[in-house]
Every structure is written in C-alpha cells, then in structure tokens.
Amino acid sequence: MKVLLINGSPRKKGNTFTALSEAARQLEKNGIETEIVSIGAKPIRSCIACNQCSEKGLGRCVFDDDICNRVAEKMASADALVVGSPVYYGQPNGGVLSLIQRLFYSAGAVVKNKPAAAVCVCRRGGATAAFQTMNMPFMMMNMPVVTSQYWNIVYGRAEGEAALDTEGMQTMRTLADNMAFLLKKTHAEGQPLWPDREPWEPMHFIRS
C-alpha cells in the first residue's frame, strides 16, 4: 500500500515538508510506502471550467503544462492522499487549491473512495479555516477523512521550526498511525472496500 503526500508549499524543505515528513516516517514504520511530491514554485493553472476533460473523456486535465497531470498519474497507483499547505491569510496556498480543484474534477476516478487527510502549517492563526477548506473536496469524492488526536495543524515560521512543535509532530504521527490502520482494515482479503452506493442524482435549483 502507498500514500501520496503533496507538499503544497513553494518551499521544498520548509515547515510543511517537515510536518509531512514526520507523517511519512510513521507510515513507513507501519509498512506503508510513501512519496512526497512538492508543487514547487512554478505557476499552477486554475480550473477554467472548459469541461474538456469530461467531454473528451480524457481522465486528466486538457492543459498539460504544469504538475496537475503528473500528480494524477502518481495518485492512480496510490491508496491514500495527504495534502499539506502553509496558511496564507487564513487560507491554503492558492497553488495547492488550484491543483486539487483541477485534479479532482479532471481525474476524479484516481482519488474517489481513497482515504485522505489535510495538514496545515502556520505561524500563528488561520489554520482552522484553511484546514476546513482543504477537507471539503475530500467529502465530495467519498474519501474517508482520516483523523488524529487534534486538528492536523503544526506551528512554525522559520524553516525547521515545525520540528519544535512537539504536539504538532505527535499529531502527525497519530494521523499516520490512524491512516495505516484504516488502509490495512479496508484492504483485508475478502473484504469489500466500500459499500454499494446509489447513483448520483444531481439537482440544480435554477431550471429552464
């Protein structure tokens, strides 16, 4: 089993990476393979609602000039997802939001039903608002949200300070233990991954 961890910070080795690395180490101790992917500092397109991914049945975004489709390819062979982000003005980094929105819309099949968790890193405040924002897409994709002993928040400003947040680091390890436990249970031999579900019945409030 494998967990893909997305570092939604432009800083490859910053505090978001520190938090995700703590979770990754604990997952490895539980026998779960991990990979951390950094979104880097290059621009990531926002979804422009062109719907070409759906109309053409691509299973990926029609725009192929950033990291989005590379992440979709990696997610196809992963069993769970952790998305980490620094907090900017009480919100996740805009780049990681653009990535998640396009990934989930254009390649939803690679994330659907897979356990997920969000991790937020901040200097002082705004983490709970960012954390709530990051969890909402998971719920729309039937992704079980993996919990910890507290909200998945780590504090730190200067590079490396997150490692000094002893409770935050413990929260990352507990998150990893819980995710490993859930993966092992849901992948037990002979057990169905998820229950049968009704076909989706979308309803639009404005009708012609």
Side-chain angles (χ1 to χ4, degrees):
M1 289 171 284
K2 179 178 179 179
V3 176
L4 182 68
L5 301 96
I6 297 176
N7 176 10
S9 171
R11 297 176 179 172
K12 275 192 172 182
K13 301 293 183 179
N15 287 314
T16 303
F17 176 80
T18 299
L20 293 177
S21 295
E22 188 74 6
R25 281 190 291 271
Q26 194 68 17
L27 283 164
E28 296 277 356
K29 288 180 181 179
N30 280 280
I32 308 295
E33 182 184 353
T34 65
E35 180 179 2
I36 299 177
V37 175
S38 175
I39 68 169
K42 293 182 179 179
I44 299 176
R45 287 177 176 267
S46 297
C47 181
I48 62 170
C50 67
N51 212 35
Q52 291 298 297
C53 56
S54 178
E55 291 178 6
K56 294 182 178 180
L58 298 176
R60 59 178 175 80
C61 185
V62 69
F63 295 108
D64 199 25
D65 54 358
D66 62 20
I67 197 174
C68 183
N69 289 333
R70 306 294 82 74
V71 172
E73 291 167 3
K74 292 178 180 294
M75 194 64 219
S77 59
D79 300 288
L81 175 67
V82 178
V83 183
S85 176
V87 176
Y88 296 160
Y89 296 94
Q91 304 167 83
N93 176 14
V96 77
L97 283 180
S98 292
L99 170 63
I100 293 304
Q101 288 167 6
R102 281 175 56 224
L103 172 68
F104 281 29
Y105 189 73
S106 64
V110 303
V111 298
K112 189 175 182 181
N113 297 323
K114 296 179 179 180
V119 172
C120 289
V121 179
C122 72
R123 179 191 70 87
R124 185 172 178 84
T128 54
F131 182 67
Q132 289 165 355
T133 297
M134 293 173 68
N135 275 294
M136 292 182 78
F138 302 151
M139 297 179 183
M140 292 184 69
M141 302 302 291
N142 278 303
M143 302 174 78
V145 176
V146 182
T147 60
S148 186
Q149 63 190 22
Y150 193 75
W151 301 303
N152 302 326
I153 296 168
V154 178
Y155 291 90
R157 182 178 182 273
E159 186 173 309
E161 281 186 350
L164 303 177
D165 179 5
T166 55
E167 184 177 347
M169 292 295 100
Q170 187 182 58
T171 299
M172 294 299 98
R173 295 191 297 272
T174 302
L175 166 65
D177 286 338
N178 289 347
M179 180 166 276
F181 181 84
L182 177 61
L183 284 172
K184 290 175 182 179
K185 287 293 184 180
T186 55
H187 286 73
E189 186 176 354
Q191 297 295 319
L193 282 178
W194 310 114
D196 292 332
R197 298 193 176 101
E198 297 180 19
W200 183 42
E201 296 184 13
M203 182 205 163
H204 306 292
F205 289 101
I206 300 175
R207 303 183 178 209
S208 56

